[in-house]
């Protein structure tokens, strides 16, 4: 079994980005600038957004954290997004999800200019992904593709089973794994809450990508011998023995599945850090697209 080290790989990608930032600055070009909008004070969201801002510092990007109260109206948030769309200093920005219940995330996603949509959530960018046209790739699926690439994992002709059809992971990764590209060229089965025979389908997977949000749902009996297992789930479990008062658990029962898998991602330290690496790559691309005019 090979443990896929997302933390190490993310740092390698960040080092490459930092080199490129220095090169651009040396040529007198603008320093890439990412803004992150955080509405409310969800503990996990604060952790993720702080990690994104810290990663910007690490690679030499400018960053802005826009914190807004959870009482903000949808209209006020849309106005803020419009300002960021029109701010020439900002190359790309994200609005951290989930949003409070009174704000429609679809409206928010669609209000972000596709040219600054470094999360890759806008319908225009998702549409381009489906057509295999150049675009911002959604950050978490892009992170998974980079892991396949950097660990030289063959994907062509493989049966890839995706568990979960969310807009930000399951649905886009299923499209990306079926594209005529590397990584890609897989035969994809997208499974969800209405799927019959989920276990039997998972047992047929050469590549199993789990993005369900149910802690330790995938046990060893779901997994074929030598499968590649990618665990996107991340749930906080109260644990008083930990300094933070919680520990993080994935959608895969790691210890028993690791004994069968050829490659597996841990939680934490697997897919999570790669989401940040992808966001930075997209921001660099947004900044360079602007230079090209
Ligand atoms: N919430 C969970 N994952 C993500 C992500 O990749 N981007 C944003 N904006 N919110 C998220």
């Amino acid at each position: 079994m090979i443990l896929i080290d997302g933390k190490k790989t993310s740092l390698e990608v960040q080092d490459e980005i930092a080199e490129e930032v220095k090169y651009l600055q040396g040529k007198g070009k603008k320093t890439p600038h990412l803004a992150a909008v955080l509405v409310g004070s969800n503990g996990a969201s604060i952790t993720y957004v702080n990690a994104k801002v810290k990663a910007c510092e690490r690679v030499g990007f400018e960053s802005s954290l826009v914190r807004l109260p959870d009482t903000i109206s949808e209209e006020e948030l849309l106005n803020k997004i419009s300002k960021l769309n029109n701010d020439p200093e900002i190359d790309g920005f994200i609005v951290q999800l989930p949003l409070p219940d009174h704000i429609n995330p679809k409206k928010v996603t669609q209000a972000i200019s596709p040219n600054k949509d470094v999360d890759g959530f806008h319908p225009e960018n998702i549409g381009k992904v489906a057509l295999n046209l150049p675009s911002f790739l959604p950050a978490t699926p892009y992170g998974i593709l980079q892991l396949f690439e950097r660990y030289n994992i063959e994907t062509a002709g493989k049966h890839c089973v995706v568990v979960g059809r969310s807009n930000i992971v399951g649905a886009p990764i299923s499209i990306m794994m079926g594209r005529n590209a590397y990584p890609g060229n897989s035969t994809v089965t997208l499974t969800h809450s209405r799927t019959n025979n989920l276990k039997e389908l998972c047992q047929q997977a050469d590549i199993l990508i789990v993005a369900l949000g149910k802690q330790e749902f995938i046990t060893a009996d779901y997994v074929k011998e030598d499968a590649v297992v990618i665990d996107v789930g991340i749930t906080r479990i109260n644990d008083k023995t930990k300094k933070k008062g919680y520990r993080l658990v994935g959608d895969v029962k790691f210890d028993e599945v690791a004994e069968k898998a050829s490659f597996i991602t841990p939680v934490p330290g697997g897919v999570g850090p790669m989401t940040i690496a992808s966001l930075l790559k997209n921001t660099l691309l947004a900044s360079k697209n602007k230079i090209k005019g």
Side-chain angles (χ1 to χ4, degrees), residues 9 143 204:
T9 310
Q204 293 166 28

Side-chain angles (χ1 to χ4, degrees), residues 37 45 48-49 52 93-98 112 118-119 121 138-141 168-169 234 275-276 279:
V37 178
S45 292
Y48 296 146
V49 169
K52 290 171 185 179
F93 67 97
I94 64 158
V95 178
Q96 188 66 25
L97 303 175
I112 297 173
V118 286
D119 252 334
F121 292 169
T140 301
I168 65 177
V169 186
I234 187 157
T275 298
I276 294 183
L279 183 64

Side-chain angles (χ1 to χ4, degrees), residues 23-228:
Y23 172 80
L24 288 173
Q25 287 168 335
K27 293 185 93 182
K29 308 283 187 206
K30 177 181 174 301
T31 300
H33 190 156
L34 173 74
V37 178
L38 175 59
V39 181
S41 48
N42 174 300
S45 292
I46 294 173
T47 308
Y48 296 146
V49 169
N50 284 340
K52 290 171 185 179
V53 169
K54 206 168 129 200
C56 283
E57 281 167 24
R58 201 172 171 279
V59 299
F61 284 4
E62 304 278 355
S63 65
S64 300
L65 173 57
V66 183
R67 284 204 70 168
L68 301 168
D70 59 9
T71 50
I72 192 168
S73 69
E74 188 178 271
E75 194 186 347
E76 285 171 300
L77 178 59
L78 293 174
N79 284 338
K80 186 75 215 169
I81 290 170
S82 173
K83 284 210 179 88
L84 290 167
N85 283 338
N86 293 313
D87 184 343
E89 174 53 32
I90 304 292
D91 297 299
F93 67 97
I94 64 158
V95 178
Q96 188 66 25
L97 303 175
L99 290 164
D101 288 344
H102 66 278
I103 298 175
N104 181 346
K106 285 187 184 154
K107 273 197 193 166
V108 169
T109 303
Q110 292 178 30
I112 297 173
S113 162
N115 300 327
K116 294 194 178 188
D117 170 38
V118 286
D119 252 334
F121 292 169
H122 190 282
E124 185 174 317
N125 285 318
I126 297 284
K128 284 181 174 171
V129 168
L131 296 172
N132 214 354
L133 295 169
S135 74
F136 296 120
L137 299 177
T140 301
Y142 188 15
I144 296 170
L145 295 194
Q146 289 177 78
L147 289 174
F148 289 144
E149 213 173 332
R150 285 173 191 251
Y151 278 82
N152 288 315
I153 293 171
E154 183 56 83
T155 57
K158 304 292 180 191
H159 184 198
C160 174
V161 175
V162 178
V163 185
R165 58 177 159 190
S166 70
N167 288 341
I168 65 177
V169 186
I173 193 73
S174 68
I175 295 170
M176 289 153 83
M177 291 302 287
R179 298 196 303 181
N180 185 2
Y182 176 76
N185 277 321
S186 292
T187 304
V188 180
T189 301
L190 175 59
T191 69
H192 45 75
S193 54
R194 303 296 294 271
T195 296
N196 295 328
N197 309 327
L198 176 66
K199 190 187 278 188
E200 287 73 13
L201 288 167
C202 289
Q203 286 167 343
Q204 293 166 28
D206 304 308
I207 300 173
L208 183 61
I209 301 177
V210 193
L212 191 63
K214 283 194 182 165
Q215 63 190 73
E216 297 184 330
F217 179 86
I218 298 291
T219 45
D221 52 332
Y222 280 70
V223 179
K224 184 165 87 171
E225 202 69 47
D226 290 332
V228 175

Side-chain angles (χ1 to χ4, degrees), residues 245-259:
Y246 65 86
R247 68 193 158 87
L248 299 172
V249 181
D251 287 352
V252 173
K253 201 154 193 189
F254 182 84
D255 290 345
E256 58 180 59
V257 172
E259 285 184 18

